[in-house]
C-alpha cells in the first residue's frame, strides 16, 4: 500500500484535504478582475491550495517563486521561460522582437528548453516591464493568464524601489490576475497593508488558517481505519499533538502509518514516533536554539509550557525583562516564523515545542 500522507512538497489530489470553502472563494476571485494577496504562516498550504485552484481553471498559469530569483533581469528571464512553456514559440518570438531590448534566444539541444539572455544594462527593469506588458497583451488574445508570485516578500530584497516600479506597470493590466503569496507575515503586511506602500490594498486579502479539526479528522481516520482497530484514538492523538498544523500533522501521520504498516502497533505509538522525529531533528533544534537571545529563550520556554500569563505585568518584570522587551521578542520570533499568532501565540513546530519541554524537564 502507498503511504497516503505526504509532507514537504505541494499536495494535490488524494493527498489534499478539503479546503472547499477556500477553494471556492479563491476561484471566485480569480474569475473576476481582482488580484489576490494570500498571507499565511510557513507550511500552512498556500502553494498547494493555489496550485489546485489555478490548475482547475485551465487558463495559462505563470508561476514564479521569488525566493529563487537573483536580480531584476533574472526575474524577467524566469517569467519568459514560463511563457515559453505555455505559448507557441513562434508567436512569442514575434512579439519579443518588438521589445525595446531584444533578448537572444536559443534552444538547448538536449533538454529542448529555451535559453534567454539579455545584454547587461544599467537599468534592467526595462526587460521586466516588457515581459509583463507582453503577458498583458497575450491576455487580450486568449484566455486571461494567471500570474503567481510565490514568496512575494522576497521582492523587497531584490532591488530598492522595485515594488514601486512593479506596481506602476501592473496597475494598468486588465487581462491578468496576479496572485501574491507570502509567508513572512509582517513583510507581506508591510507590502500590502501599509498605507505608504505602493501595493497598499492592491488585491483581495486572503488569509489561510489551519485545516479545520473535523476535516483533518475525517481525512486521517479514513486511512488509519484500513490498518488499525485503534484508528480513532490514533487520529485524535495526532491532532492533539499537531494542533491541526497541515505540515506537522502529515509528517506525524506519515511516520505512524509506516509503523502500522509493519504491524508495529503499541499503546504508546504516538509518543514513540514523536520521540523518534525529535531525535531526527535534534541537531537542527540545538542549532536553532543557539541563535536566540535570553529573552527569546524565556519567551519560548513559557509558551512551550503554555504559561498564559506571559504578558501580564506581574510576570513580565520578572527576570528583569520589561513588557516591551517581551513584545519585541514575540514580534521577532513571529517574523522568523518560530511563533504563530492565532488566538494566542504558539510555537509553530510542535516537535520543537516538545524538544524544549523535554530539554527543560531533564536539565
Ligand atoms: N489541503 C491540504 N491537505 C493536506 N495536507 C496539506 C494541505 N495543504 C498543505 N498540506 C501539508 O502542508 C505541507 C506544506 O504545504 P505547502 O507547501 O502547500 O504550504 P506553503 O504554505 O506553501 O509552505 P511554504 O511556506 O513552505 O511555502 C504539505 O506538504 C502537506 O503536508
Ligand atoms: Mg509555498
Amino acid at each position: 500500500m502507498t503511504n497516503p500522507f505526504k509532507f514537504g512538497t505541494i499536495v494535490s489530489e488524494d493527498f489534499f484535504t478539503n479546503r472547499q470553502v477556500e477553494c471556492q472563494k479563491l476561484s471566485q476571485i480569480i474569475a473576476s478582475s481582482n488580484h489576490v494577496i494570500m498571507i499565511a504562516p510557513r507550511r500552512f498550504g498556500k502553494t498547494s491550495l493555489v496550485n489546485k485552484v489555478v490548475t482547475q481553471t485551465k487558463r495559462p498559469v505563470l508561476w514564479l517563486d521569488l525566493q529563487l530569483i537573483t536580480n531584476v533581469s533574472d526575474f524577467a528571464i524566469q517569467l519568459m521561460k514560463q511563457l515559453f512553456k505555455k505559448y507557441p514559440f513562434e508567436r512569442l518570438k514575434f512579439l519579443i522582437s518588438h521589445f525595446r531590448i531584444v533578448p537572444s534566444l536559443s534552444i538547448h539541444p538536449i533538454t529542448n528548453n529555451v535559453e534567454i539572455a539579455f545584454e547587461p544594462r544599467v537599468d534592467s527593469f526595462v526587460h521586466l516591464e516588457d515581459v509583463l506588458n507582453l503577458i498583458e497583451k497575450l491576455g487580450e488574445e486568449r484566455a486571461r493568464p494567471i500570474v503567481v508570485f510565490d514568496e512575494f516578500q522576497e521582492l523587497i530584497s531584490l532591488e530598492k524601489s522595485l515594488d514601486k516600479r512593479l506596481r506602476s506597470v501592473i496597475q494598468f493590466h486588465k487581462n491578468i490576475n496576479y496572485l501574491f503569496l507570502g509567508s513572512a507575515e509582517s513583510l507581506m503586511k508591510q507590502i500590502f497593508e501599509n498605507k505608504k506602500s505602493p501595493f497598499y490594498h492592491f488585491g483581495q486579502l486572503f488569509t489561510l488558517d489551519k485545516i479545520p479539526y473535523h476535516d483533518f479528522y475525517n481525512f486521517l481516520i479514513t486511512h488509519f481505519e484500513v490498518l488499525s482497530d485503534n484508528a480513532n484514538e490514533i487520529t485524535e492523538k495526532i491532532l492533539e499533538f499537531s494542533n491541526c498544523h497541515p505540515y506537522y500533522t502529515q509528517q506525524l501521520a506519515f511516520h505512524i502509518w509506516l509503523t502500522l504498516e509493519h504491524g508495529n502497533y503499541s499503546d504508546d505509538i504516538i509518543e514513540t514516533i514523536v520521540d523518534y522525529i525529535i531525535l531526527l531533528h535534534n541537531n537542527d533544534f540545538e542549532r536553532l536554539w543557539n541563535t536566540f537571545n535570553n529573552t527569546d529563550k524565556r519567551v519560548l520556554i513559557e509558551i512551550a509550557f503554555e504559561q498564559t500569563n506571559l504578558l501580564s505585568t506581574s510576570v513580565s518584570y520578572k527576570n528583569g525583562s520589561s513588557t516591551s522587551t517581551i513584545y519585541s521578542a514575540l514580534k521577532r520570533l513571529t517574523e522568523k516564523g518560530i511563533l504563530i499568532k492565532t488566538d494566542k501565540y504558539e510555537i509553530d513546530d510542535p516537535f520543537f515545542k516538545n524538544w524544549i519541554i523535554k530539554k527543560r524537564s531533564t536539565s
Side-chain angles (χ1 to χ4, degrees):
M1 265 185 288
T2 322
N3 195 315
F5 303 109
K6 183 177 169 186
F7 58 101
T9 46
I10 296 179
V11 285
S12 56
E13 293 163 19
D14 289 348
F15 292 103
F16 189 93
T17 322
N18 204 276
R19 291 251 195 244
Q20 281 174 13
V21 177
E22 291 93 336
C23 286
Q24 197 188 3
K25 188 174 152 201
L26 191 56
S27 315
Q28 281 168 350
I29 307 174
I30 57 176
S32 75
S33 315
N34 291 294
H35 308 304
V36 177
I37 301 147
M38 183 178 287
I39 306 180
R42 292 287 327 266
R43 296 165 175 179
F44 259 39
K46 300 173 288 296
T47 306
S48 302
L49 172 69
V50 171
N51 177 57
K52 181 178 162 93
V53 173
V54 297
T55 312
Q56 279 169 353
T57 64
K58 308 260 187 286
R59 287 161 54 187
V61 179
L62 309 168
W63 191 296
L64 212 61
D65 183 343
L66 292 202
Q67 248 173 357
L68 306 174
I69 303 294
T70 52
N71 54 45
V72 177
S73 185
D74 188 35
F75 193 158
I77 289 174
Q78 297 310 323
L79 211 45
M80 274 173 68
K81 283 193 171 175
Q82 293 286 317
L83 276 173
F84 277 105
K85 289 185 192 158
K86 308 281 163 173
Y87 292 91
F89 182 81
E90 288 306 323
R91 178 72 190 130
L92 285 179
K93 206 170 112 185
F94 171 74
L95 291 169
I96 287 169
S97 67
H98 293 92
F99 275 13
R100 282 168 287 176
I101 299 141
V102 181
S104 62
L105 303 178
S106 57
I107 303 205
H108 193 283
I110 299 168
T111 60
N112 248 356
N113 285 340
V114 181
E115 302 292 330
I116 304 151
F118 281 108
E119 286 276 314
R121 260 182 76 104
V122 180
D123 184 10
S124 44
F125 188 76
V126 177
H127 309 319
L128 183 58
E129 190 175 359
D130 280 349
V131 178
L132 290 163
N133 287 332
L134 166 63
I135 303 171
E136 167 70 1
K137 189 163 177 46
L138 290 163
E140 281 169 18
E141 299 176 357
R142 287 220 223 154
R144 290 183 310 126
I146 298 171
V147 176
V148 184
F149 291 133
D150 207 348
E151 306 292 353
F152 186 69
Q153 72 276 353
E154 298 297 321
L155 182 88
I156 302 294
S157 57
L158 274 185
E159 196 177 283
K160 197 167 174 283
S161 302
L162 182 57
D163 52 347
K164 207 180 271 171
R165 302 183 80 186
L166 186 64
R167 181 187 184 267
S168 70
V169 177
I170 67 180
Q171 66 179 337
F172 293 108
H173 291 171
K174 298 192 193 82
N175 303 308
I176 304 173
N177 287 110
Y178 286 98
L179 273 68
F180 307 91
L181 320 190
S183 43
E185 275 206 67
S186 58
L187 268 184
M188 283 295 278
K189 287 202 172 132
Q190 209 172 301
I191 299 171
F192 293 102
E193 297 285 282
N194 179 348
K195 279 193 180 158
K196 291 195 185 128
S197 162
F199 275 99
Y200 176 65
H201 284 188
F202 193 74
Q204 170 95 30
L205 184 66
F206 197 109
T207 50
L208 198 59
D209 291 323
K210 292 175 179 175
I211 294 172
Y213 186 92
H214 284 289
D215 296 334
F216 234 157
Y217 177 91
N218 290 336
F219 175 68
L220 296 179
I221 201 159
T222 313
H223 294 302
F224 283 122
E225 267 169 358
V226 181
L227 286 184
S228 173
D229 295 337
N230 306 84
N232 176 51
E233 195 193 331
I234 291 172
T235 302
E236 282 179 351
K237 281 192 171 173
I238 291 177
L239 291 173
E240 189 193 337
F241 176 84
S242 70
N243 204 4
C244 291
H245 189 301
Y247 173 88
Y248 298 109
T249 306
Q250 290 256 21
Q251 185 183 18
L252 184 52
F254 174 88
H255 286 283
I256 304 241
W257 170 274
L258 268 189
T259 312
L260 291 174
E261 199 190 15
H262 289 98
N264 295 332
Y265 175 80
S266 61
D267 287 341
D268 60 354
I269 183 167
I270 307 282
E271 293 78 7
T272 311
I273 303 289
V274 165
D275 284 350
Y276 164 74
I277 297 175
I278 291 179
L279 193 64
L280 275 184
H281 294 282
N282 186 45
N283 287 347
D284 301 333
F285 292 157
E286 229 154 59
R287 222 172 293 132
L288 180 65
W289 187 251
N290 289 331
T291 62
F292 300 133
N293 67 29
N294 285 338
T295 316
D296 291 348
K297 287 179 183 170
R298 223 194 90 216
V299 164
L300 286 169
I301 290 167
E302 295 203 13
I303 292 177
F305 282 92
E306 293 178 25
Q307 291 171 348
T308 47
N309 51 3
L310 184 70
L311 283 167
S312 73
T313 10
S314 57
V315 217
S316 53
Y317 283 93
K318 95 179 171 196
N319 299 342
S321 300
S322 68
T323 314
S324 66
T325 323
I326 292 186
Y327 267 118
S328 334
L330 289 169
K331 187 165 172 275
R332 198 168 42 244
L333 291 166
T334 309
E335 278 169 15
K336 281 188 182 168
I338 307 294
L339 293 181
I340 46 177
K341 194 171 179 228
T342 46
D343 48 337
K344 59 179 187 327
Y345 284 100
E346 55 182 281
I347 295 174
D348 164 72
D349 180 347
F351 296 103
F352 184 48
K353 174 182 162 181
N354 268 264
W355 180 85
I356 297 174
I357 293 174
K358 276 184 203 298
K359 284 272 168 185
R360 284 293 282 194
S361 312
T362 52
S363 65

